[in-house]
């Protein structure tokens, strides 16, 4: 006779305990709603559920033990139900978390960032600097607000010269200036001003370009604008000839247009060059004018203190807009300054 033999009550209680533990493990292991539902049916299912089958064993428990067995049954039933609800909440919380912090879908097409671009004039300027740099010309700068000495006087344009007419220049009213004297500041009308500024401060030989804005009171139309850009070039050395000028212009045009282009020069006049020429290149079956040029006038060399017997040189001034427009088949200069992004995005 062994009094240690487990009673039916003990058996029943043990079954309930392990059922509760199994149920809790299964509920916690469920990774999604579907798995949790499967576990619920397995343990709490009204017909085939494991709780139901354990419950049937209550019949084996002796009559006087039934109250204790029933009490435990209720406790376990509630515990299993609570474990189920807890697992359910856990899954709902995880789902909400996923919505708030969605997994990065690497297969989605990327949202391309909007990248800005350089203005076509800026692009042209960079390219011109690059080409002329390879020919040995270094960029130089000068102010856009100039005095008459650098814009006219030193460039051999005396006070009585028609190029100084107030109708052809943007003179500025300067605070404190006398009304009866000529205005002493203007927006530069040409980048030739930088020739003077460089020569005043440097001894020859000189080989510079200057790219920047110039201003003239022109009415805007497809080929005119009151502000535009020029590329000035200046080379000063011993024994410089017109042939050197023509060579540089031809090398420049060939580099810029990407094919060998013939260049021609026609006689012209500028106060600061002698002789003066107009330069054209042959492009797409016709001659296209691309700027003024010439041999630096001895008067200009004198005005900056160079000896014209020792030093000679050439200068040229090209319109940047014109070069840009020809390259990109732009037909109206105003498009370059309206800054409509639909236009600018094409370059
Ligand atoms: N400054 C002249 C112009 O604006 C161009 C030029 C530059 C001509 C240098 C000769 C030499 O039209």
């Amino acid at each position: 006779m062994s009094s240690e033999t487990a009673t039916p009550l003990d058996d029943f209680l043990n079954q309930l305990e392990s059922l509760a533990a199994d149920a809790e493990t299964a509920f916690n292991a469920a990774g999604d709603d579907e798995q949790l539902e499967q576990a619920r049916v397995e343990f709490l299912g009204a017909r085939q559920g494991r709780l139901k089958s354990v419950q049937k064993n209550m019949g084996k428990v002796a009559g006087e033990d039934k109250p204790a067995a029933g009490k435990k049954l209720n406790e376990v039933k509630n515990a299993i139900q609570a474990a189920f609800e807890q697992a359910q909440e856990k899954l709902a919380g995880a789902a909400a978390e996923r919505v708030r912090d969605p997994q990065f879908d690497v297969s989605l097409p990327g949202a391309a960032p909007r990248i800005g671009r350089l203005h076509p004039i800026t692009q042209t300027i960079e390219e011109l600097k690059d080409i002329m740099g390879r020919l040995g010309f270094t960029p130089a700068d000068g102010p856009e607000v100039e005095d008459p000495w650098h814009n006219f006087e030193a460039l051999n344009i005396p006070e009585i010269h028609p190029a100084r007419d107030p109708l052809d220049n943007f003179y500025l009213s300067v605070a404190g200036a006398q009304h009866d004297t000529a205005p002493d500041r203007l927006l530069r009308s040409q980048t030739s001003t930088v020739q003077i500024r460089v020569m005043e401060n440097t001894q020859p030989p000189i080989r510079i370009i200057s790219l920047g804005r110039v201003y003239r009171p022109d009415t805007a139309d497809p080929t005119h604008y009151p502000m535009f850009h020029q590329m000035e070039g200046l080379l000063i050395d011993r024994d410089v000839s017109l042939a050197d000028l023509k060579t540089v212009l031809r090398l420049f045009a060939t580099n810029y247009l990407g094919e060998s282009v013939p260049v021609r020069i026609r006689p012209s006049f500028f106060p600061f060059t002698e002789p003066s020429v107009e330069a054209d290149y042959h492009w797409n079956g016709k001659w296209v004018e691309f700027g003024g040029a010439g041999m630096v006038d001895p008067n200009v060399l004198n005005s900056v203190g160079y000896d014209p017997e020792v030093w000679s040189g050439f200068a040229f001034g090209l319109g940047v807009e014109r070069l840009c427009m020809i390259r990109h088949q732009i037909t109206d200069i105003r498009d370059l300054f309206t800054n409509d992004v639909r236009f600018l995005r094409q370059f």
Side-chain angles (χ1 to χ4, degrees):
M1 287 297 278
S2 167
S3 58
E4 281 152 34
T5 311
T7 64
L9 176 63
D10 291 336
D11 273 347
F12 186 63
L13 296 183
N14 285 339
Q15 285 170 19
L16 284 174
E17 294 281 0
S18 60
L19 183 72
D22 286 357
E24 195 175 338
T25 308
F27 292 158
N28 282 337
D32 57 32
D33 289 344
E34 204 178 313
Q35 289 171 11
L36 183 62
E37 176 59 13
Q38 273 170 20
R40 190 193 66 78
V41 171
E42 180 186 345
F43 288 93
L44 295 171
R47 293 170 177 216
Q48 317 269 330
R50 283 171 62 181
L51 182 64
K52 268 272 148 8
S53 24
V54 172
Q55 198 174 340
K56 283 181 194 139
N57 294 337
M58 190 141 130
K60 296 175 192 160
V61 174
E64 77 258 28
D65 289 335
K66 282 226 189 316
K71 185 167 170 255
K72 184 70 181 175
L73 177 68
N74 271 331
E75 277 170 19
V76 166
K77 208 190 262 186
N78 290 338
I80 293 177
Q81 183 65 36
F84 169 74
E85 280 162 18
Q86 211 179 354
Q88 214 174 20
E89 273 168 36
K90 199 181 80 187
L91 285 180
E97 196 72 36
R98 271 196 302 280
V99 171
R100 224 177 305 125
D101 182 19
Q103 288 279 306
F104 182 65
D105 181 352
V106 291
S107 70
L108 281 177
R114 278 224 187 175
I115 295 177
R117 58 192 69 227
L118 294 177
H119 191 279
I121 290 296
T122 309
Q123 291 181 30
T124 305
I125 287 175
E126 291 306 313
E127 189 176 349
L128 299 184
K129 278 188 193 163
D130 190 51
I131 293 171
M132 294 309 292
R134 279 184 265 134
L135 294 175
F137 288 77
T138 318
D141 259 334
E144 290 177 24
V145 174
E146 264 298 3
D147 51 58
W149 166 259
H150 291 96
N151 201 84
F152 301 123
E153 213 76 32
L155 287 164
N156 202 28
I157 307 173
E159 185 122 33
I160 42 93
H161 197 282
R164 296 177 69 152
D165 195 303
L167 291 177
D168 292 330
N169 294 282
F170 285 112
Y171 286 100
L172 303 176
S173 44
V174 178
Q178 303 285 317
H179 283 297
D180 51 354
T181 58
D184 68 349
R185 289 288 185 277
L186 75 160
L187 296 178
R188 68 179 177 190
S189 61
Q190 50 186 355
T191 43
S192 302
T193 53
V194 185
Q195 291 185 34
I196 304 303
R197 290 195 172 268
V198 169
M199 289 191 282
E200 278 174 339
N201 295 312
T202 330
Q203 286 308 304
I206 287 174
R207 213 187 264 212
I208 57 108
I209 48 164
S210 186
L211 280 140
R213 296 188 172 105
V214 299
Y215 302 83
R216 294 177 193 177
D218 286 329
T219 306
D221 67 20
T223 54
H224 294 86
Y225 206 75
M227 182 281 297
F228 59 99
H229 297 73
Q230 285 187 325
M231 174 168 78
E232 191 83 11
L234 174 71
L235 182 146
I236 304 282
D237 212 323
R238 293 171 208 270
D239 305 321
V240 181
S241 77
L242 204 57
D244 299 321
L245 166 63
K246 205 177 162 190
T247 301
V248 166
L249 291 177
R250 186 169 49 76
L251 288 174
F252 165 73
T254 296
N255 272 284
Y256 182 69
L257 297 169
E259 61 183 76
S260 177
V261 286
V263 165
R264 83 176 173 191
I265 52 178
R266 290 175 286 119
S268 184
F269 175 80
F270 298 101
F272 33 90
T273 46
E274 182 57 39
S276 301
V277 299
E278 209 81 63
D280 309 328
Y281 51 72
H282 200 255
W283 174 246
N284 281 345
K286 56 176 191 280
W287 289 103
V288 185
E289 183 185 326
F290 73 121
M295 304 307 292
V296 179
D297 194 294
N299 285 346
V300 174
L301 297 175
N302 275 325
S303 76
V304 295
Y306 288 5
D307 183 353
E309 298 298 324
V310 179
W311 302 107
S312 53
F314 63 73
F316 58 85
L318 314 183
V320 174
E321 280 72 8
R322 172 169 278 228
L323 290 167
C324 174
M325 288 165 74
I326 282 167
R327 161 69 67 78
H328 299 296
Q329 279 118 48
I330 297 168
T331 50
D332 194 324
I333 191 174
R334 291 169 294 189
D335 288 337
L336 288 169
F337 304 117
T338 314
N339 287 339
D340 182 334
V341 286
R342 291 167 303 179
F343 172 79
L344 295 177
R345 241 185 241 141
Q346 302 174 69
F347 306 99

